[in-house]
């Protein structure tokens, strides 16, 4: 719930900043967003260099393919942890900024004067950027998460409202045709968090190659299983934003009207852990158990979204099962809201 709160605050801030047009507030938030983007790009580049070094060792015969795959996974996990830690610090800055706004510590400029300046600035900025065929966006999404087996939702095994997903990342949006704004290629890098909460006081227990849901002897106040993935999403986006004619020139913008995207994603599992909470004799306990749980090391699936301007309804479905060798094949399915911010 802590991470959900952070993203809700972020969403609240983005909406409020557009409505009231507060210069101090927006400039600080933009600085934090740029910091998050910089962190992700730098760590991505570092990971790319590290993976390339492993490929060199593999090509020279110094390590085997199995050793190379294992090393690449370890590097990806390490970079994911670093990104998560650094971004958390930036998110804390955002929390402080929002709290200052709530407490009235950020002085407001004249809304009327600011809006005139902002419209003038936006007009100038759009006229410069509208000719770019590739733009970038910060993306985050959240919603309900569950499992499908034989085409049936496993809501008897996993809490329907208690299981959730969230995702954040960066994408590039490239207009495919020079003189038409309909088709765009959308691609990027995301961290995807899938959470499921078992029902009936159960948790996951590994039995050889099987991962089973087993009832606990103590009463659990929470049982949550989380998997974190580093994925590359790719979508074909249909954007119905109309071009603008100005001074004899045609300008193409994005995310100003209805749009929808179809595509998929592929990536690797960087972390699996189970979180158990219970109480005994007025004492509260929390146990976090990390392991592979026989979870598939790779993930790939289909995803789609449809919406208006920045906000969309978002659907995704894993084509491969969560666990590698379980007798019952369960595939992750998610439905929620997605925000793409230029």
């Amino acid at each position: 719930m802590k991470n959900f709160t952070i993203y809700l605050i972020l969403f609240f801030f983005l909406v409020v900043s557009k409505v009231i047009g507060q210069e101090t507030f927006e400039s600080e938030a933009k600085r934090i967003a740029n910091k998050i983007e910089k962190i992700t790009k730098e760590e991505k580049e570092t990971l790319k260099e590290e993976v390339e070094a492993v490929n060199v060792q593999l090509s020279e015969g110094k390590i085997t393919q199995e050793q190379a795959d294992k090393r690449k996974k370890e590097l990806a996990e390490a970079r994911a942890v670093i990104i998560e830690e650094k971004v958390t610090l930036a998110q804390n800055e955002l929390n402080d900024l929002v709290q200052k706004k709530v407490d009235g510590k950020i002085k407001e400029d004249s809304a009327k004067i600011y809006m005139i300046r902002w419209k003038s600035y936006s007009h100038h900025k759009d006229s410069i950027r509208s000719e770019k065929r590739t733009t970038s966006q910060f993306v985050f999404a959240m919603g309900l998460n569950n499992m499908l087996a034989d085409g049936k939702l496993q809501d008897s095994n996993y809490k329907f409202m208690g299981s959730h997903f969230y995702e954040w990342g960066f994408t590039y949006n490239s207009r495919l045709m020079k003189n038409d704004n309909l088709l765009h290629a959308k691609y990027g890098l995301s961290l995807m968090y899938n959470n499921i909460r078992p029902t009936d006081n159960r948790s996951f227990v590994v039995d050889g190659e099987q991962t089973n849901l087993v009832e606990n002897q103590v009463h659990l106040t929470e049982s949550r299983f989380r998997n974190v993935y580093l994925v590359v999403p790719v979508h074909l986006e249909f954007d119905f934003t109309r071009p603008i004619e100005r001074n004899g020139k045609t300008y193409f913008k994005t995310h100003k009207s209805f749009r929808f995207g179809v595509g998929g994603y592929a990536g690797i599992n960087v972390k699996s852990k189970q979180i158990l909470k219970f109480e005994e004799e007025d004492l509260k306990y929390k146990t976090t158990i990390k392991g592979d749980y026989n979870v598939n090391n790779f993930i790939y699936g289909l995803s789609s979204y449809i919406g208006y301007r920045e906000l969309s309804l978002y659907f995704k479905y894993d084509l491969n099962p969560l666990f590698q060798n379980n007798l019952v094949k369960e595939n992750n399915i998610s439905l929620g809201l997605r925000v793409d911010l230029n």
Side-chain angles (χ1 to χ4, degrees):
M1 290 305 295
K2 180 180 178 181
N3 286 321
F4 259 100
T5 303
I6 291 172
Y7 291 124
L8 285 173
I9 292 173
L10 176 61
F11 180 75
F12 173 77
F13 142 69
L14 290 165
V15 173
V16 171
S17 66
K18 286 189 175 183
V19 174
I20 67 176
Q22 222 166 344
E23 191 167 11
T24 302
F25 192 55
E26 176 142 340
S27 62
E28 280 298 302
K30 187 176 181 180
R31 179 185 64 80
I32 296 172
N34 289 338
K35 179 187 290 189
I36 294 175
E37 183 175 10
K38 183 179 179 182
I39 289 169
T40 305
K41 286 183 177 179
E42 288 178 349
E43 294 302 327
K44 180 183 175 182
E45 286 300 319
T46 302
L47 176 60
K48 183 178 179 180
E49 293 173 1
E50 292 174 336
V51 170
E52 184 59 32
V54 174
N55 288 333
V56 171
Q57 290 181 316
L58 178 61
S59 64
E60 293 176 350
K62 295 180 179 179
I63 57 175
T64 64
Q65 183 66 55
E66 183 179 356
Q67 290 173 325
D69 292 340
K70 181 180 179 181
R71 181 56 181 159
K72 289 177 184 178
K73 182 181 179 182
E74 291 173 348
L75 291 171
E77 291 176 349
R79 288 296 154 193
V81 171
I82 292 173
I83 290 174
E84 193 171 3
E85 291 175 349
K86 289 185 177 180
V87 169
T88 298
L89 294 176
Q91 289 171 339
N92 289 338
E93 285 188 55
L94 180 61
N95 288 343
D96 293 338
L97 180 65
V98 174
Q99 189 60 51
K100 287 180 181 178
K101 166 60 187 162
V102 174
D103 295 339
K105 294 180 180 180
I106 299 177
K107 295 182 179 180
E108 294 188 10
D109 298 323
S110 169
K112 185 176 180 180
I113 295 175
Y114 171 73
M115 286 305 293
I116 293 174
R117 291 174 60 196
W118 173 250
K119 287 180 180 178
S120 174
Y121 168 73
S122 297
H123 175 83
H124 175 66
K125 182 178 69 173
D126 289 345
S127 67
I128 295 174
R129 291 187 176 181
S130 56
E131 285 305 303
K132 290 185 177 180
R133 292 181 64 173
T134 298
T135 58
S136 60
Q137 293 85 39
F138 172 66
V139 177
F140 68 92
M142 66 181 95
L144 299 177
N145 197 65
N146 216 289
M147 307 297 292
L148 276 183
D150 296 325
K152 296 180 181 179
L153 190 68
Q154 300 299 290
D155 52 346
S156 61
N157 286 331
Y158 310 106
K159 296 179 180 178
F160 182 75
M161 296 302 295
S163 301
H164 56 263
F165 82 95
Y166 50 100
E167 174 184 343
W168 64 267
F170 294 91
T171 63
Y172 289 100
N173 187 346
S174 297
R175 178 161 45 92
L176 295 179
M177 293 178 285
K178 183 177 180 180
N179 298 315
D180 192 283
N181 201 39
L182 179 62
L183 296 178
H184 296 253
K186 195 150 185 167
Y187 47 94
L189 185 70
S190 291
L191 270 177
M192 188 183 293
Y193 300 75
N194 292 337
N195 295 272
I196 48 177
R197 282 183 165 88
T199 58
D200 301 327
N201 200 47
R202 291 178 295 173
S203 61
F204 285 104
V205 175
V206 176
D207 182 10
E209 293 186 346
Q210 298 292 303
T211 304
N212 304 315
L213 276 176
V214 176
E215 186 174 356
N216 287 269
Q217 295 181 354
V218 298
H219 175 69
L220 299 175
T221 56
E222 180 174 359
S223 175
R224 175 160 43 112
F225 187 53
R226 168 183 289 179
N227 286 282
V228 183
Y229 300 93
L230 184 65
V231 300
V232 176
V234 179
H235 294 92
L236 177 65
E237 183 174 281
F238 297 80
D239 193 325
F240 294 92
T241 302
R242 293 183 178 181
I244 296 175
E245 299 287 341
R246 185 184 300 145
N247 299 325
K249 293 184 179 181
T250 302
Y251 296 90
F252 298 99
K253 299 183 180 180
T254 61
H255 299 76
K256 300 297 182 182
S257 184
F258 288 101
R259 58 191 180 86
F260 70 91
V262 290
Y265 51 89
I268 59 173
N269 177 285
V270 295
K271 184 191 299 183
S272 295
K273 67 179 180 180
Q274 188 165 213
I275 302 168
L276 306 177
K277 295 181 181 180
F278 61 94
E279 297 181 8
E280 272 188 359
E281 298 179 356
D282 297 327
L283 296 176
K284 296 182 179 180
Y285 298 89
K286 177 181 178 180
T287 302
T288 300
I289 309 169
K290 298 181 181 179
D292 61 24
Y293 286 92
N294 295 319
V295 170
N296 268 309
N297 294 324
F298 300 95
I299 184 177
Y300 56 93
L302 302 175
S303 57
S304 181
Y305 54 89
I306 181 170
Y308 180 73
R309 296 176 72 93
E310 294 92 349
L311 186 64
S312 302
L313 184 66
Y314 183 39
F315 168 83
K316 60 188 182 74
Y317 173 69
D318 293 354
L319 292 176
N320 61 328
L322 175 61
F323 300 107
Q324 297 181 41
N325 301 303
N326 271 18
L327 297 177
V328 178
K329 305 299 183 183
E330 295 182 313
N331 298 55
N332 199 86
I333 185 170
S334 307
L335 180 66
L337 294 177
R338 168 186 173 122
V339 180
D340 296 67
L341 299 161
N342 282 303

